[in-house]
Amino acid sequence: MKLTTKLMAFSAIVSASSASAVELEVMHWWTSGGEAAAVGKFAEAWDASGNKWIDGAIAGGGDTARPIMVSRIIGGDPPAAFQFNHGRQAEELIEAGLLLDLTDVAEAEGWADIVNPPNLLDACTVDGRIYCAPVNIHSWQWMWLSNGAYEKAGLPVPTNWTEFSESAGALQDAGITPLAMGGQSWQQNGAFGVISVALAGTEAWLAVNRDKSVDAVMSDEYTRVFEAFGAARSLSEGLNVQDWNQATAAVINDTAGAQIMGDWAQGEFALAGEVAGEDYSCLPGLGEVGVLQTGGDAFYFPVVDDAEITAGQKELAALLLSPPVQVSFNSAKGSLPVRGDVDLTTVNECTQKGLDLLAAGATLPAGETLLSPDTVTQLNDLMTEFWNTPSMTAAEVQSAYADIIADAD
C-alpha cells in the first residue's frame, strides 16, 4: 500500500506490504451542497495519497443513515469507514467488538496532545481504548439571520432572541417568514435545546441533560423555555420545507428572517457565495448566552478480515486529522477543526466568534454525548409533536419531557 509522506513514520502500524491502492467505501450522510463540498475534501486527500475513496453517501440525515450503516455492519457487509456523531451512538457496536481499535493510531499521531477540547477524544474512548477519529467541532448554538430580509422589512438585524421575537410581526407584514424550520424531528428538538441554553442558562441545561434532573425540567427556568418554544411555532408558518438545508436556503434567499441551526449551515452560505457580516449575521447562544457546544462528527472503522483494508483504515484515520485536511475540510463544512495547532487566520467573522468562545473555554458538551440514542429519539418525537400540534400546551409537553428525562440513561 502506498503511504503518504506524512504517515511514513506510521508504517509499522499500517504495514505497507502492498504496492496497490486501497479502495475504501466510506458511508456518511453529508448530502447537501455544502456538506458534499466538504466531504469532497476528504475524498480528494485520500485519492491524492494513491488510494481510492468510494463514496457511500446516504440522503436523509443521520436518523435515516445510522440504521442503514448499523444494518450493514451487523449483517456482515460493513463499509470500511462510517460517520457518526461524537457521543454514544456507537456504544453497542463497540461492546459487540465490531469496531476497530484505533489506539495505536492515536498514540502514534499524538492525538491526546492535539485534539482540542480533550472531551472530543474522550467521546471516542471506551475502557481506555480509542475507537473513532474526531474530525470537527460542531455546535448547535447558533442563529443565522438574513441581512437582506431585515433590510426589506426596514429593521436592524437583531442582536439577541428578545429582539428577534419583537421583530417577527414586522417581518410577517413584509411577507417574510420570521423563523425557518424544516420538518424533520431532530430540527425541532435541536432548536429547543438552543433555546433552552439561551433562556434557562447553562447550569439548568446541564442539570437536565447531564444530571437527568426532573426538578430542573419542571423549574420556572424551563417553563419559560417551553412557553417560548410554543410561541415560536407560529413564526414558521408559511414555509413548508422538510430538510434543514432547504430552511437555510430560505434565509439565503431572504424569504426567511432567521434559522436556529448548527454551524454546518455555514457550508450552505459559503456555497451560495454569501459573506458573513454582509449577507448574513450569526448569534451564538441566540445572543443571550455566549457558549459553544463541542459536538461534531467522527469516523469509525468496522473490523474486517483483510489486513490490507485494516491498514488502509488506519492510514485514513490518521489522514483525517492531518493539518491540511483539517483546514480544507472544516473551512468548507463551517465547523471548527479538532486540532488546536492549525492556522485559521483567514476564517470569517462567524467562525472567529466560535474560535473565541472555544479559546475562552465557554463550552458545553453536546447533548448526544450525555443522552442515549433512545432518549434522544424520544425527545425528538415529543418536540416535533409539540411543534406541529398547536393545541398542545407548554405545560403538557413539559410534563411529558420530564417523564422521558426521569427514565433517561
Side-chain angles (χ1 to χ4, degrees):
M1 179 176 62
K2 180 180 177 181
L3 293 179
T4 62
T5 302
K6 167 72 174 65
L7 299 175
M8 287 301 293
F10 194 45
S11 59
I13 295 175
V14 299
S15 182
S17 59
S18 171
S20 63
V22 175
E23 294 187 354
L24 299 183
E25 180 190 8
V26 184
M27 298 184 75
H28 59 87
W29 58 79
W30 290 327
T31 58
S32 75
E35 290 173 326
V39 75
K41 301 299 183 181
F42 284 154
E44 289 170 10
W46 182 242
D47 290 350
S49 74
N51 298 295
K52 180 64 177 177
W53 176 287
I54 306 299
D55 201 68
I58 301 173
D63 289 346
T64 298
R66 280 188 292 270
I68 296 173
M69 296 173 185
V70 171
S71 178
R72 285 275 305 271
I73 294 166
I74 64 177
D77 181 30
F82 65 96
Q83 165 217 358
F84 266 20
N85 299 121
H86 300 307
R88 301 176 59 182
Q89 295 172 353
E91 277 182 345
E92 293 182 357
L93 293 173
I94 294 171
E95 291 170 358
L98 295 173
L99 299 185
L100 185 64
D101 185 337
L102 299 175
T103 306
D104 53 356
V105 182
E107 291 176 349
E109 295 292 300
W111 287 358
D113 297 322
I114 61 174
V115 173
N116 180 50
N119 69 288
L120 296 179
L121 193 58
D122 293 341
C124 289
T125 305
V126 177
D127 296 332
R129 310 300 294 178
I130 296 170
Y131 290 91
C132 67
V135 296
N136 60 10
I137 303 169
H138 264 319
S139 176
W140 252 105
Q141 298 298 317
W142 294 91
M143 173 178 270
W144 310 95
L145 303 108
S146 164
N147 291 7
Y150 278 92
E151 182 178 355
K152 180 180 178 181
L155 296 171
V157 178
T159 62
N160 55 48
W161 175 257
T162 300
E163 292 178 3
F164 166 74
S165 299
E166 292 172 347
S167 74
L171 288 175
Q172 289 169 323
D173 290 344
I176 297 166
T177 301
L179 184 63
M181 179 70 75
Q184 296 157 322
S185 62
W186 65 267
Q187 296 181 58
Q188 284 95 53
N189 190 35
F192 175 78
V194 177
I195 296 174
S196 300
V197 172
L199 301 186
T202 58
E203 290 306 314
W205 184 88
L206 285 168
V208 172
N209 292 274
R210 179 191 63 196
D211 304 331
K212 318 298 189 293
S213 170
V214 172
D215 289 341
V217 177
M218 298 305 296
S219 67
D220 291 342
E221 290 85 356
Y222 255 73
T223 295
R224 180 188 177 201
V225 176
F226 286 106
E227 290 175 347
F229 193 66
R233 292 179 290 188
S234 64
L235 304 186
S236 68
E237 293 176 355
L239 181 68
N240 297 312
V241 296
Q242 182 71 8
D243 296 334
W244 70 268
N245 53 303
Q246 293 175 311
T248 306
V251 178
I252 292 171
N253 295 327
D254 304 330
T255 58
Q259 179 189 24
I260 299 173
M261 185 52 60
D263 49 15
W264 49 89
Q266 278 218 95
E268 301 302 302
F269 287 107
L271 193 66
E274 298 269 290
V275 177
E278 296 180 13
D279 302 304
Y280 69 98
S281 298
C282 54
L283 296 178
L286 303 187
E288 304 285 350
V289 177
V291 68
L292 186 77
Q293 276 182 303
T294 53
D297 301 289
F299 279 86
Y300 292 80
F301 302 83
V303 172
V304 295
D305 187 20
D306 186 316
E308 186 177 40
I309 295 297
T310 299
Q313 290 172 316
K314 291 186 175 185
E315 184 185 359
L316 178 58
L319 182 72
L320 296 175
L321 271 76
S322 64
V325 175
Q326 277 286 293
V327 172
S328 63
F329 168 75
N330 285 290
S331 295
K333 190 70 165 61
S335 48
L336 303 179
V338 296
R339 296 186 66 119
D341 61 350
V342 295
D343 181 11
L344 294 170
T345 55
T346 61
V347 299
N348 67 39
E349 67 175 53
C350 291
T351 300
Q352 188 59 54
K353 287 181 181 180
L355 289 170
D356 291 344
L357 290 170
L358 184 63
T363 62
L364 280 176
E368 59 264 23
T369 68
L370 303 175
L371 301 172
S372 70
D374 180 62
T375 297
V376 171
T377 297
Q378 292 180 61
L379 294 176
N380 284 350
D381 291 344
L382 174 64
M383 298 316 296
T384 197
E385 179 186 5
F386 181 47
W387 186 264
N388 293 300
T389 310
S391 62
M392 192 174 186
T393 68
E396 289 171 339
V397 73
Q398 186 172 14
S399 178
Y401 201 101
D403 290 340
I404 294 173
I405 292 299
D407 292 332
D409 57 358

